[in-house]
Amino acid sequence: MSTAAAAVYPRVSYEARRPRFTNAVATQLLDLIIAKQSNLCVSADLTKAADVLQLADQVGPYICMLKTHADIIEDFDAKFVEALQKLAEKHRFMIFEDRKFADIGNTVQHQYAHGVHKIADWSHIVNAHTLPGEGIISGLKAVGLPKQRALLLLAQMSSAGTLFTEAYTQQTVVLADKHPDFVIGFIAQRALPSPAGNDYLVLTPGVGLDDKGDGLGQQYRTPHDVLVKDGCDVIIVGRGIYKPGRDPVAEAKRYQKAGWDAYLASLAAAAGRK
Amino acid sequence: MSTAAAAVYPRVSYEARRPRFTNAVATQLLDLIIAKQSNLCVSADLTKAADVLQLADQVGPYICMLKTHADIIEDFDAKFVEALQKLAEKHRFMIFEDRKFADIGNTVQHQYAHGVHKIADWSHIVNAHTLPGEGIISGLKAVGLPKQRALLLLAQMSSAGTLFTEAYTQQTVVLADKHPDFVIGFIAQRALPSPAGNDYLVLTPGVGLDDKGDGLGQQYRTPHDVLVKDGCDVIIVGRGIYKPGRDPVAEAKRYQKAGWDAYLASLAAAAGRK
């Protein structure tokens, strides 16, 4: 599968792909990736605002994106949001709230715009499952597009025994093709073809250099696996960076280099095939 | 499909099914349904705490369950939770936070237990998508079972163009059968067979007597459709009860009666087939 995907989708540079996107978040993200030579997204799965902010400040220089779970932060408030936004400006990274919306259009509109978290007000990027049908995209888009936000669709997951099928993944791409102004990519394990010829960014979770799993179904692959073999664009690393005993700065630098080296290797491989 | 389902699953009374459940929430819920003669769950999709509490107090006497979206309530806090719990005791209804968890086990544990909402501390019932695999159930169960909570799995949805397939629905039942101590039922559109012979409650959203859809993909069916034709157990009604211009008390009474009449009709139909 990976070889076939690589043959069909030889790596194209981030620079060359930039003009293919109409959504401003996508072009800003590609600019950041290029400028910082980082395709690393750090996942801040921490439950205290101060810990998230400390991590963001530590790894900020080495990442293109910080992935948050606002709903696990016990002392989430407007001050936290403001501080996070300042760090995003200081270090130049995008904020991706990993909300995994999974409800009908009317409900996700409220969940995105309202509540304690008011996600649409601060998160450049959110994601959603397509299981509920196209209404989930329409609902989020009505809220997010006027605020110049962007959406990722979950096309695959990295956990064990998922119920994703090839047909589901393909249907997800077809739904994305109906909204390329708002959907900028996928959470997936490999590059995904667009029947409509759109370009999408593929962000890949479950990336780790040292661990194989977490005992609750999570499974890890290396940056080389996902970037060179499977044509993904951004690696998402969580516990590999900050779990107890690890130095977040050293690990962020290590993953940034591993991700960028893998990107350069995939470019070289694509050039070699020409 | 509905006729076949009815033939395979003739209605068994709530009383007769009660001993089949080991989870305390399921037996409490069946007790409430029987005592109040109500299989009505009202969905409180409102964005202000005071509005949710007012609705809960108004419809409380006529429902077995209140479904919440804590994450759309702008002024959600501990006082709101306390007030809601008092109303649940006063009127005897269960609280069902319609969170639709949809992440890996490690993440949903945090989302269930922590954050601003601390859902596990106050919601008797939550629900989850099975798309991420069995880890989502194991993760939630590790948090919820010690607190005597219960889980519903999303086996089908009522919105237009969902990506649910028959195989997905069946795999969801198989996953439930691995955790019948914590999974008490499904969000689905019809009764679902358990290969392991477990009994499950089926809660059905998208029920309405007056509307056909909402313009964002939601589609409505009547209590008779879901209880008599398709063997469901609890009807979930939202905007049918409280949308502007409707009297929530009158509508709750009307849906309670429609739901209970449909239940009695399904019992009579089952008796007639014997």
Side-chain angles (χ1 to χ4, degrees):
Chain A
M1 186 172 80
S2 54
T3 313
V8 179
Y9 293 97
R11 171 72 59 189
V12 176
S13 72
Y14 296 125
E15 287 87 342
R17 292 169 66 193
R18 189 189 180 285
R20 300 180 184 174
F21 291 86
T22 54
N23 182 291
V25 172
T27 53
Q28 283 167 39
L29 175 59
L30 285 165
D31 286 344
L32 287 178
I33 290 173
I34 296 160
K36 295 176 79 172
Q37 300 201 337
S38 175
N39 49 36
L40 172 61
C41 170
V42 165
S43 174
D45 300 336
L46 301 164
T47 58
K48 293 200 188 333
D51 292 344
V52 175
L53 295 173
Q54 184 186 27
L55 180 69
D57 203 19
Q58 286 177 312
V59 304
Y62 316 107
I63 65 176
C64 61
M65 195 184 300
L66 188 80
K67 183 169 85 63
T68 56
H69 280 297
D71 56 359
I72 72 170
I73 301 173
E74 283 169 21
D75 49 349
F76 178 97
D77 60 10
K79 255 175 55 191
F80 164 76
V81 168
E82 201 182 316
L84 183 64
Q85 286 176 314
K86 277 194 182 148
L87 288 172
E89 279 168 37
K90 173 181 166 190
H91 296 300
R92 297 190 68 205
F93 60 78
M94 313 290 288
I95 304 171
F96 164 29
E97 166 60 23
D98 186 9
R99 175 56 177 78
K100 293 187 175 67
F101 290 107
D103 213 316
I104 62 171
N106 181 67
T107 300
V108 297
Q109 282 192 331
H110 286 304
Q111 291 172 326
Y112 189 20
H114 302 132
V116 170
H117 297 118
K118 293 179 179 56
I119 297 168
D121 286 353
W122 52 269
S123 186
H124 304 105
I125 300 167
V126 291
N127 57 356
H129 286 290
T130 49
L131 196 51
E134 191 182 350
I136 192 168
I137 304 174
S138 314
L140 293 169
K141 184 172 158 178
V143 172
L145 203 58
K147 292 177 186 278
Q148 295 192 284
R149 304 304 185 198
L151 180 66
L152 301 167
L153 298 179
L154 284 126
Q156 299 172 321
M157 286 177 77
S158 51
S159 44
T162 74
L163 271 56
F164 286 87
T165 62
E166 187 57 30
Y168 184 102
T169 301
Q170 295 308 322
Q171 285 174 285
T172 299
V173 179
V174 169
L175 287 173
D177 279 342
K178 295 186 176 185
H179 303 276
D181 52 344
F182 189 53
V183 179
I184 63 167
F186 303 105
I187 302 295
Q189 295 294 312
R190 59 177 165 86
L192 294 173
S194 152
N198 293 306
D199 198 348
Y200 293 108
L201 298 167
V202 172
L203 285 72
T204 305
V207 173
L209 287 165
D210 307 305
D211 302 313
K212 294 287 170 206
D214 75 348
L216 271 174
Q218 179 63 300
Q219 307 170 118
Y220 294 107
R221 294 192 301 154
T222 68
H224 189 272
D225 287 339
V226 304
L227 274 144
V228 182
K229 285 193 195 167
D230 289 336
C232 304
D233 299 308
V234 172
I235 56 171
I236 304 177
V237 185
R239 286 166 276 178
I241 299 273
Y242 63 78
K243 86 174 187 184
R246 289 185 181 159
D247 170 4
V249 174
E251 293 297 334
K253 287 182 184 174
R254 180 174 168 234
Y255 276 94
Q256 178 194 10
K257 184 171 185 325
W260 198 254
D261 286 351
Y263 165 68
L264 294 177
S266 70
L267 270 182
R273 275 203 305 275
K274 273 176 193 158
Chain B
M1 188 173 76
S2 54
T3 313
V8 180
Y9 294 96
R11 170 71 60 189
V12 176
S13 72
Y14 297 123
E15 287 88 342
R17 292 169 65 193
R18 189 189 179 284
R20 299 180 184 172
F21 291 86
T22 55
N23 182 291
V25 172
T27 53
Q28 283 167 39
L29 174 59
L30 284 165
D31 286 344
L32 287 177
I33 289 174
I34 296 161
K36 296 176 78 172
Q37 300 202 338
S38 173
N39 49 36
L40 171 62
C41 170
V42 165
S43 175
D45 300 337
L46 301 165
T47 58
K48 294 202 186 331
D51 292 343
V52 175
L53 295 174
Q54 184 185 29
L55 180 68
D57 203 18
Q58 287 177 312
V59 305
Y62 316 106
I63 64 176
C64 61
M65 196 184 298
L66 188 80
K67 183 168 84 62
T68 56
H69 281 296
D71 55 359
I72 72 171
I73 301 173
E74 283 169 22
D75 49 351
F76 178 96
D77 60 9
K79 256 176 53 191
F80 165 76
V81 168
E82 202 182 316
L84 184 63
Q85 287 176 314
K86 278 194 184 149
L87 289 172
E89 280 168 37
K90 174 182 166 190
H91 296 301
R92 295 191 68 205
F93 61 76
M94 314 289 289
I95 305 171
F96 163 28
E97 166 59 23
D98 186 9
R99 174 58 178 77
K100 294 188 176 63
F101 291 107
D103 213 316
I104 62 172
N106 181 68
T107 300
V108 297
Q109 282 192 329
H110 286 306
Q111 292 172 324
Y112 190 20
H114 302 133
V116 171
H117 297 116
K118 294 180 181 54
I119 297 168
D121 286 353
W122 52 269
S123 186
H124 304 105
I125 300 168
V126 291
N127 58 356
H129 285 290
T130 50
L131 196 52
E134 191 184 349
I136 191 168
I137 303 173
S138 313
L140 293 169
K141 184 171 157 178
V143 171
L145 203 56
K147 291 176 187 276
Q148 296 193 283
R149 302 306 185 198
L151 179 67
L152 300 168
L153 298 178
L154 285 126
Q156 298 173 323
M157 285 177 78
S158 51
S159 42
T162 74
L163 270 58
F164 286 86
T165 62
E166 187 57 29
Y168 184 102
T169 301
Q170 294 308 323
Q171 286 173 285
T172 300
V173 180
V174 169
L175 288 173
D177 279 341
K178 294 185 177 187
H179 303 275
D181 51 344
F182 188 52
V183 179
I184 64 168
F186 304 105
I187 301 295
Q189 295 293 312
R190 59 178 165 84
L192 294 172
S194 152
N198 293 306
D199 198 347
Y200 293 109
L201 297 167
V202 172
L203 285 72
T204 305
V207 173
L209 287 165
D210 307 305
D211 302 314
K212 294 287 170 206
D214 74 348
L216 271 173
Q218 180 63 299
Q219 308 171 117
Y220 295 106
R221 294 193 301 155
T222 67
H224 189 272
D225 287 338
V226 304
L227 275 143
V228 181
K229 285 195 196 163
D230 290 335
C232 305
D233 300 309
V234 171
I235 57 171
I236 304 177
V237 185
R239 286 166 275 177
I241 299 273
Y242 62 79
K243 87 174 188 186
R246 288 184 182 160
D247 171 2
V249 173
E251 293 297 334
K253 287 181 185 175
R254 180 173 167 236
Y255 276 94
Q256 177 194 11
K257 184 172 187 321
W260 198 254
D261 285 351
Y263 165 67
L264 295 178
S266 71
L267 270 183
R273 275 203 304 276
K274 277 177 191 158

